[in-house]
Amino acid sequence: MSAKLIKGTEIREEILEEITSEVAKIKEEHGVVPGLVTILVGENPASISYVTLKIKTAHRVGFTEIQDTQPIDIPEADLLALIEKYNNDDTINGILVQLPLPDHIDEKKILNTIDPDKDVDGFHPVNVGRLMIGGNEVKFPPCTPFGIQEMIVRAGVETSGAEVVVVGRSNIVGKPIANMMLQKGDGANSTVTIVHTRTKNMEEHCKRADILIVAAGVPNLVKPEWIKPGACVIDVGVNRVGEKPSAKDPNRMVAVLRGDVDFDAAKEIAGYITPVPGGVGPMTITMLMLNTLKALKYKLGIM
Ligand code: NAP
């Protein structure tokens, strides 16, 4: 294997340690800690497990955390009122509404009601605009792209002047990471191309990439011959390709996950590569914690 593995599991630990010590320092100097509320509607098992992990991580780094679970049939007006309650709660710095929401609720309306200064997911149009403007305007980059950029920087990969090719143009990964990498500033200053299903000669674009970020949701989409030797390959894709018995309990089946890149072949060509699982995945919740800490620091005027 020639590529250096960029492990999200290790970078997560580093960042969570940094957050924990900063929270302790702020507590000592200002007498407050960041507060995060997660709002869950209904009992979707996947949503429950995401929210549980977010709350557990918030607890670990010393935040005040609230899990607010609402019934699946909560009227939209009541959910809007609940968000307004947390918008006006001084002890809460971050509000997170776990998606998806049930069909009778307008997801956009809900997300747009969150105070942009507490929108630690970074999905509010005000924060999308701030991200586009760049520089000091940026408050809360969306968590997955924020994690991707942090991994690239912490791995020591040069971004200035680098050719970055992003596969995928979703609002949660492709578009924001492309925007972040082209900004003027540290960890950016790249020349960026976005490719998608209507792109001609996708392979040719990918071959040019010094940094290839793949977020398509198609297992093994990127072939080894599409990778420039020595490139940094960030595989965001998480695809369930089957099931296998759990290592802890062989009677329980767990998902077999694959990324969007043919990892085994790509690692012989790339200079850096993220594994799936254990690559980008652990970074998303980590950056949610960092955004929540930042929300408190903005409020205290120390950011
Ligand atoms: P999405 O909304 O489905 O967008 C996928 C994008 O990829 C679209 O822009 C699509 O192009 C493009 N695409 C799909 N097939 C393609 C192909 N054959 N050639 C070129 N482009 C193609 O997905 P997403 O939300 O961005 O997520 C992408 C992947 O990342 C998924 O596997 C998801 O599970 C994973 N993900 C992981 C994390 C994490 O680890 N924390 C977070 C978010 C997402 P068109 O626009 O032309 O349709």
Side-chain angles (χ1 to χ4, degrees):
M1 167 166 174
S2 59
K4 184 177 181 296
L5 269 190
I6 309 179
K7 292 185 186 163
T9 42
E10 286 177 7
I11 299 174
R12 168 184 62 194
E13 294 308 306
E14 271 173 41
I15 297 175
L16 292 181
E17 284 304 312
E18 291 163 14
I19 295 174
T20 307
S21 41
E22 215 176 332
V23 168
K25 190 164 168 264
I26 291 174
K27 189 175 179 183
E28 203 180 298
E29 290 173 2
H30 300 270
V32 284
V33 296
L36 175 70
V37 60
T38 57
I39 300 173
L40 173 67
V41 177
E43 291 174 356
N44 176 314
S47 294
I48 291 175
S49 83
Y50 290 137
V51 164
T52 307
L53 194 54
K54 286 167 187 171
I55 288 292
K56 225 169 113 182
T57 311
H59 183 77
R60 171 183 162 181
V61 294
F63 293 180
T64 299
E65 78 284 355
I66 299 175
Q67 171 162 355
D68 192 330
T69 303
Q70 296 293 326
I72 187 96
D73 58 353
I74 181 174
E76 186 181 270
D78 291 6
L79 190 56
L80 290 169
L82 187 68
I83 292 170
E84 287 296 0
K85 183 187 99 170
Y86 289 119
N87 280 344
N88 295 317
D89 183 337
D90 258 2
T91 66
I92 294 299
N93 304 103
I95 302 172
L96 186 138
V97 178
Q98 186 64 44
L99 302 178
L101 291 169
D103 288 346
H104 69 280
I105 291 176
D106 181 347
E107 208 164 275
K108 215 162 153 190
K109 204 162 154 189
I110 297 295
L111 295 182
N112 291 357
T113 302
I114 297 173
D115 178 346
D117 291 339
K118 296 189 178 188
D119 167 44
V120 287
D121 254 343
F123 292 150
H124 192 289
V126 167
N127 284 316
V128 176
R130 287 169 170 166
L131 192 79
M132 177 62 97
I133 295 167
N136 292 338
E137 288 291 323
V138 180
K139 282 205 160 174
F140 308 117
C143 300
T144 302
F146 193 11
I148 294 169
Q149 189 180 39
E150 196 63 28
M151 294 178 99
I152 296 170
V153 169
R154 289 191 185 228
V157 174
E158 180 60 81
T159 60
S160 182
E163 288 272 352
V164 171
V165 176
V166 179
V167 182
R169 55 177 165 180
S170 72
N171 287 329
I172 62 164
V173 190
K175 278 194 259 181
I177 189 61
N179 180 30
M180 289 162 76
M181 298 308 292
L182 67 78
Q183 296 292 343
K184 208 166 196 169
D186 294 341
N189 281 328
S190 307
T191 303
V192 180
T193 305
I194 307 183
V195 301
H196 46 76
T197 55
R198 309 299 164 92
T199 300
K200 291 174 186 152
N201 299 326
M202 196 161 87
E203 178 177 347
E204 293 309 314
H205 289 288
C206 292
K207 274 180 176 166
R208 274 202 330 269
D210 300 308
I211 301 173
L212 180 61
I213 301 169
V214 192
V218 180
N220 291 346
L221 173 68
V222 172
K223 311 288 178 251
E225 59 273 21
W226 297 17
I227 295 169
K228 181 174 169 178
C232 170
V233 179
I234 307 288
D235 190 352
V236 191
V238 180
N239 306 292
R240 284 168 179 261
V241 295
E243 285 195 326
K244 61 177 183 188
S246 152
K248 284 184 195 155
D249 173 7
N251 295 320
R252 197 168 59 88
M253 299 300 279
V254 292
V256 176
L257 301 178
R258 290 272 182 282
D260 290 351
V261 176
D262 178 353
F263 178 83
D264 288 333
K267 73 183 191 314
E268 303 303 331
I269 299 161
Y272 298 82
I273 193 165
T274 58
V276 178
V280 175
M283 296 300 293
T284 302
I285 291 181
T286 306
M287 303 321 273
L288 176 73
M289 300 302 136
L290 193 55
N291 273 345
T292 308
L293 171 62
K294 281 167 65 185
L296 174 62
K297 287 169 72 178
Y298 286 125
K299 192 175 157 218
L300 295 172
I302 56 171
M303 180 91 198

